Amino acid sequence: MDMSRPTGRVLTLLELLQSGGTRTVAELADRLGVEGRTVRRYVNQLIDLDVPVESVRGRYGGYRLAPGYRLPPLMLSDDEALAVLLGLIAGRRAGLRTTERTASETATAKIRRVLPKHLARRLDTLLESLAFTDQPGEFAAPDAGVLLTLADAVRHRRPVSLRYTDRNGRRSERTLHAYGIVAHAGRWYVTGTDAGIGEDRTFRLDRLTDARTLPGSFEVPEGPDPAQRVLSGFATAEYRHEVTLRIHGTVEQIRAHLPASVASLEEYEPTADQDPAPERWLRVRLRAERLDWLPPTLASIDRPFVIERPAELRDLVVALADRLTSCARRG
């Protein structure tokens, strides 16, 4: 925008105020290249346009925008518009959305429509040359009202009443002491204590409805952060097979193939008479519905391992080794 014209300076003032916080008259005057009394005149012009500019008195006073208003126009710089558009595109690809797909698409279209031509052309060039390694997320979107209610409950440590539908379609009423909200692999989760049973639980947000904040409060117990609680929940979920094995290697070597969402590790601090090297025997525990993916995974880790259970996994590893040996010997 043309900062040499008064209208351009008024719009720049609006953009500065929209970035948040209280701006002093001296700061605004410096950014706009005008005197303090001119800043006050520009503020009055915004007020005449029904933009809710508030005057803040005191040592750190100045001007700010009143919260809770929808401000026409929403001022975005070129970089900000590009950041918002790429965020919408990346979120849609990852499946991390909180509304129906049409809302994301219409928001993208609205911003795209008002971009300057030169920036729109550059954005089109970027999107044409941009490739994604993953397929677009097709996960169900959580209800935005449920998400916001849970966020408020987490912040203020308030119990929340929920209706939950499990993967078998069974519905139940839950009272949750929510510790945190976690985005993982294209889905939203909330983790906390199920007050009805007194145990930690993690719920998918798209399976929750009718969230209501309840009276009272609770204390968050000591322990892992919400993200780690969610990953640990995945690793210990109920599946058909319980697998225990020992692998000789570093935590990094094992985690590169068996992340925290898949397996738990038991690390042992070496005593004075033990080898302090980073490579050591670590016990790995995981649960799986199928075992056929584990033999090639263990082979890819390329570290010594011992299978403690189940015996079926030993048979699958031996069978894979026999197949590889047979293929390698073919002339």
Side-chain angles (χ1 to χ4, degrees):
M1 66 185 67
D2 186 358
M3 278 285 291
S4 65
R5 303 179 59 185
T7 302
R9 294 194 187 102
V10 172
L11 292 176
T12 300
L13 171 61
L14 175 58
E15 184 176 356
L16 291 171
L17 294 175
Q18 282 182 326
S19 63
T22 299
R23 303 278 184 163
T24 66
V25 174
E27 177 187 2
L28 293 171
D30 180 66
R31 293 291 296 272
L32 297 173
V34 298
E35 296 181 354
R37 64 175 178 269
T38 305
V39 171
R40 295 182 181 91
R41 188 171 72 248
Y42 291 164
V43 167
N44 288 332
Q45 292 181 34
L46 290 177
I47 292 174
D48 289 342
L49 294 171
D50 293 327
V51 177
V53 182
E54 294 181 340
S55 177
V56 181
R57 298 185 180 277
R59 181 180 177 184
Y60 302 102
Y63 294 104
R64 68 185 179 194
L65 292 180
Y69 285 85
R70 295 172 181 256
L71 295 174
L74 176 63
M75 302 290 295
L76 293 176
S77 68
D78 289 356
D79 286 345
E80 290 170 339
L82 183 59
V84 171
L85 283 170
L86 291 179
L88 287 168
I89 293 168
R92 192 163 65 236
R93 293 283 310 194
L96 291 179
R97 53 196 175 91
T98 58
T99 59
E100 293 301 320
R101 182 179 300 275
T102 53
S104 177
E105 292 175 349
T106 55
T108 300
K110 287 178 180 178
I111 298 176
R112 173 66 177 77
R113 188 172 61 249
V114 299
L115 286 178
K117 289 184 179 179
H118 75 280
L119 184 59
R121 287 195 298 267
R122 296 180 69 184
L123 176 64
D124 289 341
T125 300
L126 169 63
L127 296 180
E128 288 172 1
S129 60
L130 183 63
F132 292 88
T133 57
D134 296 324
Q135 295 298 316
E138 295 294 339
F139 300 116
D143 181 85
V146 170
L147 177 62
L148 294 175
T149 298
L150 285 170
D152 185 72
V154 169
R155 180 176 182 180
H156 298 289
R157 298 182 179 178
R158 299 277 301 280
V160 62
S161 173
L162 301 165
R163 288 186 181 179
Y164 172 66
T165 304
D166 67 16
R167 59 185 175 184
N168 297 316
R170 293 189 295 265
R171 297 181 179 180
S172 59
E173 297 277 348
R174 307 291 182 108
T175 297
L176 184 69
H177 294 172
Y179 306 149
I181 298 169
V182 179
H184 172 70
R187 294 194 188 277
W188 295 89
Y189 298 88
V190 61
T191 184
T193 295
D194 186 328
I197 58 177
E199 295 181 2
D200 281 0
R201 286 291 184 268
T202 294
F203 299 105
R204 274 174 40 183
L205 259 67
D206 58 288
R207 290 178 174 169
L208 297 176
T209 57
D210 299 332
R212 293 182 297 105
T213 304
L214 302 175
S217 62
F218 62 89
E219 292 295 324
V220 177
E222 297 291 334
D225 61 32
Q228 188 58 49
R229 288 176 185 272
V230 170
L231 294 178
S232 298
F234 291 147
T236 58
E238 293 185 4
Y239 289 103
R240 180 179 176 186
H241 301 283
E242 293 190 6
V243 178
T244 306
L245 47 92
R246 299 191 305 275
I247 301 177
H248 190 271
T250 66
V251 172
E252 291 74 17
Q253 288 170 334
I254 298 172
R255 282 295 184 220
H257 301 272
L258 294 171
S261 58
V262 173
S264 62
L265 299 183
E266 292 181 8
E267 302 181 42
Y268 300 97
E269 291 295 333
T271 59
D273 59 344
Q274 288 181 317
D275 181 8
E279 293 187 1
R280 57 189 186 275
W281 288 100
L282 298 174
R283 177 166 280 111
V284 180
R285 301 181 188 273
L286 61 94
R287 301 185 182 190
E289 197 65 30
R290 298 171 55 184
L291 296 175
D292 53 357
W293 61 275
L294 266 172
T297 299
L298 293 175
S300 66
I301 297 175
D302 195 23
R303 301 299 306 162
F305 65 87
V306 176
I307 298 172
E308 296 183 357
R309 66 172 180 173
E312 181 182 351
L313 179 58
R314 296 194 193 95
D315 297 336
L316 291 174
V317 171
V318 171
L320 174 62
D322 290 344
R323 289 197 304 274
L324 293 175
T325 300
S326 176
C327 291
R329 288 175 175 171
R330 291 176 184 169

